[in-house]
Amino acid sequence: MDGSPTPDAVILLAKGGYGEWPQCELDGMLAAVRATRRYPHVEGAFLDSGAPPFPSVLRELAERGATRILIAPVFVPLDRSLREWLPKVVRRSLKKHHLEKVEVVLAGPLGERPELGEAVVRALPAADSGPDVREGAPRDVANQWLKPPPHRHHVFMCEGPRCATLGSHELFVRLRERLAERGLAASENEAGEGVLAVRSSCLYPCNLGPMMVVYPEGAWYGALNERGIDRIVDEHFGNGRPVEAHLRFQPLPSQDGMRSRDRAPGAASP
Ligand code: FES
């Protein structure tokens, strides 16, 4: 022990991904850590591509009265970008809500702790179950996953760490819902008039986030919010009219570069 006060809250920080698996794994680890009753508050949060996002969990714990919060990266590489970026997110998030007095500390990489290895070894016998992985697995995939569904627009919603901080995961969920409501999801629009919407990692103009780019037009949208998403679905995808209020870049007429819309409201750098 180094004499530091014991944290009264812990955030298990994870990196998101596709499907339910990241959520399931984090939920399992959360339950295990909570069962130890070592800390009064233990919550999970995703750095990107998942919910709840880290800034909202941080704020919620601070508002609930936590005075020292320990961030424990569990499924996330504790790399240089995280070390440099995380302090900015913490500073901005707590300052915005006047919670600067809360102390926030970052745990070292848990994967390097021998205790973690011992815990894994203890857990393995119970987790070791089931038949050979090849049993029951589909063999014939010749006709699957060979071509994209027909579509008119291809959309990349940034779920990199900075845009995720600004709510891009929730916006992606809303985009998918709105497209489905309007029959514009590519997977359901057999006429090929739909939108193939996917998530991406950082698209680079982080300070203008949340960012989304639409092809074939090459329309880069920024400072997105729920209303902006609804308008883009209705006006751009529904009627072919890009939404100027959120348009940040578009290709030059010669197609040999990008022209700024010379408009950069919205998000500040985390
Ligand atoms: S994180 Fe979205 S543009 Fe960088």
Side-chain angles (χ1 to χ4, degrees):
M1 297 292 285
D2 62 359
S4 302
T6 304
D8 45 15
V10 173
I11 298 176
L12 302 183
L13 187 63
K15 219 167 158 35
Y18 297 100
E20 303 297 319
W21 292 109
Q23 189 76 56
C24 291
E25 287 195 36
L26 183 59
D27 287 348
M29 183 170 277
L30 259 180
V33 175
R34 283 172 177 159
T36 67
R37 301 181 184 280
R38 175 80 173 74
Y39 302 100
H41 303 288
V42 183
E43 300 294 341
F46 284 97
L47 197 57
D48 58 12
S49 301
F54 168 70
S56 48
V57 173
L58 176 70
R59 189 186 81 222
E60 189 188 315
L61 285 172
E63 286 178 342
R64 274 157 59 185
T67 57
R68 181 176 165 90
I69 299 172
L70 176 65
I71 302 168
V74 289
F75 310 131
V76 57
L78 193 50
D79 57 12
R80 183 179 155 212
S81 102
L82 177 66
R83 289 174 194 276
E84 292 181 357
W85 172 74
L86 202 62
K88 297 178 189 171
V89 175
V90 170
R91 188 178 302 123
R92 194 181 73 176
S93 186
L94 295 183
K95 185 176 179 188
K96 185 172 167 189
H97 302 283
H98 309 293
L99 296 164
E100 294 108 309
K101 286 190 179 159
V102 178
E103 194 178 4
V104 182
V105 291
L106 180 61
L110 294 181
E112 294 176 7
R113 306 286 312 175
E115 295 92 332
L116 187 64
E118 289 158 15
V120 169
V121 169
R122 275 201 303 277
L124 278 178
D128 175 12
S129 62
D132 185 290
V133 293
R134 290 162 291 187
E135 269 182 47
R139 284 176 174 274
D140 185 6
V141 293
N143 294 321
Q144 300 172 22
W145 310 105
L146 287 177
K147 58 183 180 183
H151 58 277
R152 175 174 290 275
H153 298 287
H154 199 181
V155 169
F156 296 85
M157 170 70 83
C158 180
E159 286 205 24
R162 293 152 187 88
C163 288
T165 295
L166 299 167
S168 66
H169 178 73
E170 291 82 356
L171 293 177
F172 183 72
V173 171
R174 188 174 183 99
L175 172 68
R176 296 284 290 263
E177 288 172 353
R178 294 286 294 180
L179 289 172
E181 281 168 19
R182 296 217 34 182
L184 286 172
S187 57
E188 288 155 16
N189 190 301
E190 291 176 4
E193 296 298 314
V195 178
L196 183 57
V198 298
R199 300 177 290 183
S200 84
S201 55
C202 179
L203 292 170
Y204 284 89
C206 311
N207 290 354
L208 307 182
M211 293 297 303
M212 180 175 95
V213 59
V214 178
Y215 292 105
E217 296 90 331
W220 289 65
Y221 286 115
L224 290 168
N225 50 29
E226 289 191 351
R227 175 156 163 68
I229 291 292
D230 293 351
R231 286 191 61 194
I232 290 167
V233 171
D234 292 342
E235 297 172 30
H236 189 151
F237 304 143
N239 293 318
R241 291 194 314 270
V243 178
E244 290 280 332
H246 288 280
L247 207 48
R248 294 295 177 268
F249 305 97
Q250 64 183 42
L252 289 167
S254 61
Q255 297 292 313
D256 61 359
M258 297 291 285
R259 178 165 71 83
S260 168
R261 302 290 297 181
D262 195 27
R263 190 190 296 135
S269 176

